[in-house]
Amino acid sequence: MSTIRRFRAMDLLHFNNVNLDRYTETYDSQFYLSYMSNWPDLFTVAESPAQKLMGYSMGKVEGTDELWHGHVTALTVAPECRRLGLARGLMRGLEDASEKIHDCYFVDLFVRPSNTVAIQMYEHLGYILYRRVIDYYQGDGVMPTEYAHDMRKALPRDKHKKSIVPVKHAVNVEDTFF
Amino acid sequence: MEGRQLRPIYDALELPDTKYAEEECEKLLRKHPNHYGAQSIKAFILARSGRPNEALLLGQSVLNTPSAMASAHVQQGLSLAFRALGRPREEIMVYTAALSFSPNDESLHIKVFKTAARNSMFKEQHHAAIQLSKLSKQQKYVWWLVVSLFLQAKHSKDDVAAPVQLKLAERLVEKAVADGQLTSTEELRVYLDVLDIQDKHEQMTEVMADNSQLAAMISNDPDLVTQRINLFIKVGDYDKAIMAATAALESRDNWADYKLYIEAVATLVGQAVDAEAKHSLVAGISSNFEKWAGVRGKARGAKLAQVALATRMHEAGHGDIAGSPEALIWDYLTEFQQKAICYSDIMQFIVARREPSVLEYHQAQLEQRLPAARDSATNSDDAAQAWVNLEKIRYLLQALMGETDPKAWVADIEPLLKFGLGSSQARKKQPSCSDMAFIASQRIIQAAFLAYSAADQREQLHSALFKALCVLESGIQLNDNSFLLKLYAIRVYLYLSCYERAQTIYDTLRIKHVQLDTLGHLIIGHGMALGCFALDMELCYNGVTFYDRFQSKMPRDIEAVYQQGTYSNVQDFLEFQSNIVHSIQRECTHRYALRGEGFEYGNAKETLARWEEADVSSIEHSEQTLSALHDNRDVSVMGLLTPKDMAQWDLELLTQSTPIPGHDFIRAFSLVPQVMHYLVCADIESLQEKLSELTLVVDNSSCRLSRQDVLFVRGIIDVGSLYIQASDPQNEIDGQLSRLLSVIRTNLPSNELDPSLFSLSSDGIRNLSAATELFTYMLALKHALLAQRLPAANAVGLALSQLRKEALKSVNTLRGWVDKNTRALVEEQWLAENDDDIFADAKRFVVGSQKQTTSMVTKACTTSWLRSVKNLLSQWEKCSS
């Protein structure tokens, strides 16, 4: 249980209990602001009854024709707020918006292969490993350089599930641009 | 022709090669002195090269030449120059002047609008929006006008104009609705804001009614659903609020809706005339909560809402009408204690009622459950987490009951340490074990501050904190992802004057971008206080870069909001911009950066040039500018187990090695560079003025500066006074000079006595650092006296030369002592057999089970001290007088 609401710029001043987690990247402020400007309905935060941020999901829509899709840019939950189904709730919200507001064919996301807990959750939510992306994550002294798992879930608009036919070979980062 | 002439300059700017661009400008201006395009671009180049005064002068001279403004090159160059200078009014004047040549140029009006919008110039924004909506039929300009009117009215002090502006905005929206031009929830939010600010809540309910034209938009937007419930409460229609909340909670589990539901019912209960009506209302809401508590995924929210309802009823004087809050708290705990969030959820309700009888009830409940929870903790993750939550409640209850006996805080610490750091679960990185290690460390720290709060007991305090540090580090070694352990480890290392290790741990937290504003205070500035100013400078520059980039980029984000039509962001973005641009941490970071530059060694010419060229006007502060600053520093991240209003149990506060810099720091360290600037420029009158201001700051009884900062600032006051004294050959300076030298000497390590571990870990390095910094400034004084051929120069030079020799000797001795003795001393004194028995269990554990980590912490401390002393020695070696 939490208050689910749109993410606000002022939340950037209070999201440290979420973002100090090692798997959570902190981006330039302008990155978050551009998501708020462009896709406000895909940037959602969960706030606890004690008014602490519990987690957030940040997404966008991109691509053309049958590649028109929702993309999960970030999904993160504060360590003490895990095992509550919060990530699933946030993902469901983002999928709903991708389907009902933006009429997308599928939703995709990237995840570190070492983040096995997250991968299990995505699989449970119906995501499949679509392809692997070579050295998508660059090491920064704390986290290592890693491939990314590009995972996808088809939405009802993709009737023939064409978007989730896996690519067998690993691809380069530039092959993932839409 | 003009474009062709300016091409080489543009090309150089694109490279970017500012120097070459300036040369090209000069070349063109030599041939054509009245080339306004070149002058405009030159103004921009000057603004970007840190020469604001020249840029402004040149820019204004072009702006005062109306005929020049017809050129697109002039418009572009000049607007960029004024933007870089942070002069939006002048930037708008450029566009306005250009509009006199082409009044219907839409792009120019857009520029005026955006410049005004990103600088919160609502009146100008409003006027530009009017022009745009007159020029073009595009609907977005109507919304720009509505938003501008709303903002202008909201921020206006004009009680006559504001209602008129809001009425006009309302009419524009009504027309848009009638024309079918309100098409997004963003526009709907603007509409609601316009009505809300006029207190037209009834009208808002009509707009948001189920059968309204816009109802579908509301149901798809979670925030608007909640706003609608709140609105019914505002208009006093509590029945509708209850209906709307019930409907919302049937389909979702949203805490804000629960709160509003409780509020609506509580108000009706308060208004009800008889007991039956009250009970009926409470029965209705309770039955809903019970129903939802049985729904998968909603149980936590509904159960916590029962606690909130019972607490609210108690607060309103209705007793246990909705059940006993205490009993419901423990029901909640029984059901959800295996969740890590449980403590955070329930803490506010325990804290809400602090009567002794209530606390005793909680204590009894806890005592019943704690032993079993402890015994079964190894059975599963859930059982372990349940014990952790109960331990957190035990901690909270001790604080709420005002427990001041340090022994009580560490009485049962051993099982916590064993589970948190020595169990098989701990080796598997189970999060509950890190939590337990955290609780254990908090208990040791709390006990340490309770036991040794007196000034003469600080030696024992350090010994106890060292044990807490061993616990924190052991936890970090087991689970590198536990940021809470890291945050406190940073704090305690700094408390013990160990900068290097604190900084290494800080690096692993990967704090960057906006976090530099909210978390930068953890480390920025501490390096300078502990002799590691080069490392600190790097962090300061990261911070300065963040703020500079933010300031240049944020305006574009505000423009983007208008471009994308996501108007609900406007106020939030403006507030965010203001919070960062006027942030206390920003000011502190800049002051530290300047302070670090002052500390850097340079020869006489470089030193004098640095102070002479310093732009001291931009760092002046008044009461008004200080009161406009925002404190964005995030201390909530420290995970306090007690409420913020209990200072004696506030470990965030207690573990601060020096006060977190605030207004006094900003004021003092804005004045220090000004003092040095006027001293080097021989401006005695301004120098005297700044010295008086600095004296006022430091003499203020409530001044919140560290002991060493006070020492340094007083030293700077003496440096300034000495200069004034020396400026008149008739005056004697010996007394003043010897006083200053004595301040430095007193804070150098003694040659005669061996320093103690305590003096090193408390004030030793800090005092030496302040003395070294002061010496650097005295060198600048000497250079200034020499450059101005003042007779006192030689006397000061000789005295400094002698002082340097003494300092080199004593600091070198200290270096050798730290290198040779501190490791053994830590083991002898901080881990001694006959140490205080309060911490005997903790010591036995860290020495016995965590030997390797304890040895690592010992090494980290000694290496950090050695690094600080070596850095300071190197500074004395470089600072040749």
Side-chain angles (χ1 to χ4, degrees):
Chain A
M1 151 270 321
S2 52
T3 299
I4 305 279
R5 58 168 175 79
R6 279 192 187 177
F7 195 96
R8 295 192 281 260
M10 289 298 283
D11 290 327
L12 294 172
L13 303 177
H14 308 286
F15 72 170
N16 292 312
N17 64 318
V18 180
N19 271 42
L20 283 176
D21 171 65
R22 63 185 302 166
Y23 281 110
T24 304
E25 181 64 30
T26 299
Y27 302 100
D28 193 322
S29 320
Q30 273 62 41
F31 187 71
Y32 298 104
L33 298 173
S34 72
Y35 274 74
M36 281 176 242
S37 296
N38 289 294
W39 307 283
D41 40 15
L42 294 174
F43 199 170
T44 310
V45 66
E47 193 177 57
S48 79
Q51 293 182 319
K52 275 169 79 175
L53 297 194
M54 302 170 81
Y56 58 85
S57 63
M58 178 164 95
K60 62 178 173 179
V61 281
E62 60 183 356
T64 51
D65 304 324
E66 290 188 344
L67 291 176
W68 174 244
H69 69 286
H71 174 72
V72 185
T73 304
L75 170 72
T76 178
V77 174
E80 70 167 344
C81 305
R82 291 177 189 158
R83 297 170 60 225
L84 300 173
L86 201 59
R88 278 160 214 234
L90 289 165
M91 279 299 288
R92 215 160 283 139
L94 205 142
E95 286 168 12
D96 271 358
S98 300
E99 181 193 333
K100 292 172 187 159
I101 300 176
H102 299 286
D103 199 20
C104 295
Y105 284 86
F106 63 93
V107 175
D108 76 350
L109 57 92
F110 296 106
V111 59
R112 280 182 184 268
S114 58
N115 194 353
T116 50
V117 177
I119 290 173
Q120 271 174 19
M121 185 201 67
Y122 293 132
E123 284 173 347
H124 196 75
L125 288 173
Y127 286 78
I128 58 119
L129 172 60
Y130 172 67
R131 60 187 170 181
R132 290 181 309 130
V133 187
I134 300 164
D135 292 348
Y136 179 83
Y137 295 105
Q138 293 297 309
D140 61 359
V142 178
M143 296 300 286
T145 297
E146 269 185 277
Y147 274 39
H149 279 186
D150 179 356
M151 300 184 82
R152 283 188 181 184
K153 179 180 181 177
L155 294 176
R157 191 175 180 191
D158 180 11
K159 289 190 181 106
H160 305 293
K161 310 290 178 211
K162 284 199 271 184
S163 63
I164 54 166
V165 178
V167 175
K168 286 193 179 132
H169 59 275
V171 300
N172 292 312
V173 176
E174 52 271 24
D175 299 327
T176 64
F177 298 152
F178 286 92
Chain B
M1 171 72 172
E2 193 183 12
R4 193 163 49 79
Q5 287 171 323
L6 295 169
R7 177 53 41 206
I9 307 171
Y10 289 138
D11 289 344
L13 282 173
E14 268 174 31
L15 281 175
D17 186 342
T18 314
K19 202 175 165 201
Y20 184 61
E22 190 181 349
E23 283 168 16
E24 285 294 320
C25 261
E26 295 292 358
K27 207 157 88 182
L28 185 56
L29 285 168
R30 272 196 296 275
K31 275 189 198 168
H32 308 282
N34 289 329
H35 197 298
Y36 297 118
Q39 287 182 6
S40 305
I41 299 171
K42 188 181 169 189
F44 170 60
I45 293 168
L46 291 170
R48 279 241 302 235
S49 318
R51 286 141 77 188
N53 296 336
E54 291 170 68
L56 189 57
L57 209 63
L58 183 59
Q60 274 169 334
S61 83
V62 181
L63 190 57
N64 291 335
T65 316
S67 60
M69 305 312 293
S71 154
H73 298 283
V74 173
Q75 290 166 25
Q76 186 182 328
L78 215 49
S79 59
L80 284 173
F82 287 128
R83 192 180 303 184
L85 288 166
R87 312 280 294 210
R89 250 168 234 294
E90 283 80 357
E91 189 184 342
I92 288 178
M93 282 162 78
V94 173
Y95 303 131
T96 313
L99 278 165
S100 65
F101 295 97
S102 41
N104 293 332
D105 187 332
E106 193 176 331
S107 69
L108 281 172
H109 286 293
I110 290 175
K111 283 176 182 167
V112 175
F113 179 86
K114 287 185 173 172
T115 305
R118 59 178 186 250
N119 290 289
S120 302
M121 297 164 71
F122 304 122
K123 193 176 168 190
E124 290 77 1
Q125 182 182 341
H126 168 202
H127 287 157
I130 290 176
Q131 296 305 319
L132 282 164
S133 52
K134 277 184 191 165
L135 268 177
S136 163
K137 294 287 167 218
Q138 285 188 62
Q139 186 61 26
K140 76 173 177 188
Y141 294 140
V142 173
W143 289 107
W144 287 17
L145 178 55
V146 171
V147 175
S148 306
L149 284 162
F150 169 75
L151 289 171
Q152 195 185 350
K154 188 177 175 184
H155 297 274
S156 164
K157 287 178 187 146
D158 185 341
D159 293 340
V160 179
V164 177
Q165 286 153 354
L166 290 168
K167 190 72 210 157
L168 176 58
E170 188 184 333
R171 281 199 196 135
L172 287 167
V173 182
E174 281 168 353
K175 186 172 180 312
V177 175
D179 295 347
Q181 296 288 350
L182 193 156
T183 55
S184 71
T185 51
E186 289 296 313
E187 291 157 0
L188 175 58
R189 281 163 184 250
V190 173
Y191 186 13
L192 293 171
D193 281 344
V194 169
L195 293 174
D196 195 20
I197 198 173
Q198 298 178 86
D199 292 328
K200 292 188 172 178
H201 299 131
E202 293 284 355
Q203 206 171 323
M204 284 173 80
T205 57
E206 285 164 28
V207 173
M208 297 181 96
D210 286 334
N211 56 356
S212 80
Q213 202 180 333
L214 308 166
M217 280 187 199
I218 295 158
S219 64
N220 283 332
D221 188 312
D223 294 7
L224 291 178
V225 170
T226 303
Q227 190 179 351
R228 186 161 167 262
I229 306 168
N230 195 17
L231 198 55
F232 286 128
I233 293 178
K234 276 187 180 171
V235 298
D237 195 340
Y238 301 105
D239 290 326
K240 276 195 179 163
I242 290 170
M243 276 168 58
T246 313
L249 287 164
E250 286 289 352
S251 59
R252 63 185 194 168
D253 181 40
N254 203 42
W255 183 249
D257 301 346
Y258 278 116
K259 275 184 15 185
L260 292 170
Y261 188 2
I262 292 168
E263 192 51 42
V265 170
T267 312
L268 285 180
V269 169
Q271 291 169 353
V273 283
D274 58 69
E276 198 183 331
K278 288 179 203 267
H279 279 284
S280 161
L281 283 161
V282 173
I285 187 170
S286 296
S287 121
N288 272 335
F289 286 173
E290 265 175 42
K291 180 179 74 181
W292 292 325
V295 178
R296 192 178 147 80
K298 281 189 179 178
R300 255 182 69 244
K303 286 271 183 183
L304 194 66
Q306 286 177 332
V307 179
L309 175 68
T311 307
R312 178 73 178 81
M313 290 301 157
H314 248 280
E315 279 168 2
H318 304 302
D320 285 352
I321 192 170
S324 149
E326 289 70 56
L328 286 165
I329 284 172
W330 285 97
D331 283 353
Y332 182 84
L333 280 162
T334 305
E335 201 162 342
F336 301 106
Q337 61 188 0
Q338 76 282 9
K339 304 283 183 195
I341 191 72
C342 182
Y343 176 72
S344 168
D345 282 346
I346 211 70
M347 179 183 165
Q348 57 175 314
F349 299 107
I350 297 178
V351 169
R353 299 194 62 209
R354 304 186 193 185
E355 301 96 302
S357 61
V358 174
L359 296 178
E360 277 162 23
Y361 173 85
H362 287 311
Q363 187 64 32
Q365 289 292 322
L366 180 75
E367 280 167 13
Q368 271 178 31
R369 294 156 197 248
L370 200 56
R374 191 181 298 155
D375 293 344
S376 58
T378 49
N379 292 351
S380 65
D381 289 5
D382 283 355
Q385 192 58 61
W387 181 29
V388 166
N389 278 319
L390 291 178
E391 282 294 344
K392 286 183 178 174
I393 290 172
R394 180 161 79 98
Y395 190 104
L396 174 64
L397 289 177
Q398 275 182 283
L400 291 174
M401 288 172 162
E403 180 61 82
T404 51
D405 177 6
K407 284 183 185 165
W409 283 94
V410 283
D412 302 318
I413 203 164
E414 213 169 347
L416 275 63
L417 290 167
K418 279 185 180 162
F419 180 74
L421 302 170
S423 63
S424 57
Q425 288 93 327
R427 284 187 287 279
K428 285 182 203 155
K429 299 189 177 186
Q430 198 169 294
S432 54
C433 293
S434 299
D435 273 3
M436 197 61 96
F438 174 68
I439 298 170
S441 70
Q442 301 289 288
R443 286 191 166 279
I444 298 172
I445 296 170
Q446 181 66 73
F449 279 99
L450 285 170
Y452 310 121
S453 55
D456 61 350
Q457 293 175 314
R458 284 190 61 212
E459 195 161 353
Q460 288 151 295
L461 174 65
H462 283 213
S463 168
L465 289 179
F466 180 80
K467 291 166 190 82
L469 198 48
C470 293
V471 171
L472 291 163
E473 281 278 26
S474 298
I476 295 168
Q477 301 306 312
L478 282 168
N479 184 1
D480 187 40
N481 198 22
S482 178
F483 64 82
L484 272 181
L485 296 174
K486 291 184 179 182
L487 294 173
Y488 278 94
I490 292 170
R491 275 288 175 84
V492 180
Y493 272 118
L494 292 175
Y495 205 96
L496 300 178
S497 299
C498 304
Y499 178 76
E500 196 180 46
R501 177 65 188 156
Q503 203 243 342
T504 308
I505 297 176
Y506 176 87
D507 282 349
T508 66
L509 290 170
R510 300 192 300 160
I511 287 166
K512 52 190 166 180
H513 306 306
V514 70
Q515 290 177 312
L516 292 166
D517 191 53
T518 54
L519 296 176
H521 69 277
L522 285 170
I523 201 85
I524 289 175
H526 289 280
M528 276 169 216
L530 291 166
C532 298
F533 49 91
L535 285 171
D536 216 350
M537 282 286 280
E538 260 179 57
L539 292 167
C540 284
Y541 286 141
N542 278 348
V544 170
T545 308
F546 158 72
Y547 291 115
D548 287 353
R549 276 171 59 93
F550 180 88
Q551 203 156 3
S552 73
K553 287 191 166 185
M554 186 67 206
R556 279 182 241 163
D557 294 300
I558 294 171
E559 287 180 17
V561 166
Y562 287 98
Q563 213 57 50
Q564 300 297 335
T566 47
Y567 308 115
S568 67
N569 288 315
V570 170
Q571 292 183 78
D572 180 35
F573 279 26
L574 287 173
E575 186 184 0
F576 181 60
Q577 175 178 249
S578 167
N579 270 55
I580 300 284
V581 172
H582 304 293
S583 136
I584 288 189
Q585 184 58 27
R586 177 181 188 265
E587 283 301 318
C588 291
T589 305
H590 279 85
R591 296 296 76 80
Y592 276 125
L594 206 52
R595 191 172 168 180
E597 283 169 13
F599 210 158
E600 274 178 349
Y601 172 72
N603 61 30
K605 202 173 155 193
E606 286 163 350
T607 305
L608 293 176
R610 184 193 301 149
W611 288 122
E612 199 175 336
E613 289 163 12
D615 173 24
V616 291
S617 59
S618 65
I619 58 171
E620 292 216 25
H621 271 287
S622 63
E623 282 298 333
Q624 202 184 356
T625 59
L626 284 171
S627 64
L629 295 177
H630 301 275
D631 195 350
N632 304 323
R633 294 173 293 199
D634 185 6
V635 289
S636 71
V637 76
M638 301 295 283
L640 280 187
L641 296 171
T642 54
K644 193 75 189 127
D645 61 355
M646 300 179 72
Q648 203 178 355
W649 289 270
D650 184 342
L651 297 197
E652 192 284 318
L653 204 65
L654 293 172
T655 53
Q656 288 174 14
S657 52
T658 50
I660 293 193
H663 289 187
D664 290 329
F665 176 86
I666 295 167
R667 204 191 279 262
F669 285 90
S670 298
L671 285 164
V672 168
Q674 295 180 57
V675 165
M676 295 309 292
H677 171 77
Y678 294 122
L679 184 154
V680 166
C681 296
D683 181 346
I684 302 279
E685 201 180 321
S686 302
L687 176 61
Q688 267 167 334
E689 191 188 315
K690 297 300 162 193
L691 286 175
S692 308
E693 287 179 37
L694 198 52
T695 308
L696 268 180
V697 174
V698 86
D699 281 352
N700 186 332
S701 59
S702 60
C703 173
R704 278 180 57 79
L705 289 179
S706 73
R707 211 180 75 78
Q708 288 73 26
D709 282 346
V710 170
L711 186 149
F712 172 71
V713 170
R714 289 204 187 281
I716 291 296
I717 294 169
D718 284 341
V719 166
S721 307
L722 180 72
Y723 176 83
I724 294 170
Q725 196 88 348
S727 303
D728 183 348
Q730 305 295 319
N731 291 334
E732 276 291 321
I733 61 155
D734 293 353
Q736 197 120 19
L737 179 59
S738 66
R739 197 168 66 234
L740 250 172
L741 296 174
S742 154
V743 168
I744 296 178
R745 275 199 187 96
T746 314
N747 289 288
L748 292 175
S750 163
N751 278 323
E752 284 156 27
L753 294 170
D754 255 2
S756 72
L757 190 57
F758 169 66
S759 77
L760 190 74
S761 64
S762 55
D763 284 333
I765 296 174
R766 294 176 190 276
N767 289 347
L768 172 58
S769 191
T772 311
E773 192 174 3
L774 195 50
F775 178 81
T776 315
Y777 280 73
M778 281 198 74
L779 278 183
L781 165 74
K782 187 205 78 175
H783 296 324
L785 294 170
L786 265 177
Q788 292 156 24
R789 297 177 187 279
L790 292 172
N794 285 338
V796 174
L798 268 173
L800 290 183
S801 180
Q802 178 58 35
L803 178 65
R804 180 172 170 268
K805 274 186 206 158
E806 292 168 31
L808 278 171
K809 193 176 163 204
S810 67
V811 181
N812 204 20
T813 309
L814 177 68
R815 187 198 61 79
W817 181 85
V818 171
D819 199 10
K820 201 174 150 197
N821 298 314
T822 46
R823 195 160 182 175
L825 282 174
V826 168
E827 281 164 17
E828 276 169 33
Q829 295 179 14
W830 288 355
L831 297 168
E833 283 294 321
N834 57 353
D835 200 6
D836 194 333
D837 68 354
I838 300 175
F839 300 98
D841 289 347
K843 189 197 68 195
R844 198 169 40 249
F845 184 82
V846 297
V847 172
S849 308
Q850 305 296 316
K851 208 170 177 179
Q852 221 173 341
T853 308
T854 304
S855 167
M856 185 276 274
V857 178
T858 307
K859 194 176 168 193
C861 288
T862 53
T863 314
S864 299
W865 291 324
L866 190 60
R867 168 60 51 216
S868 291
V869 177
K870 277 184 175 174
N871 283 346
L872 289 163
L873 180 62
S874 152
Q875 178 76 1
W876 280 99
E877 283 168 350
K878 281 190 286 185
C879 284
S880 163
S881 58

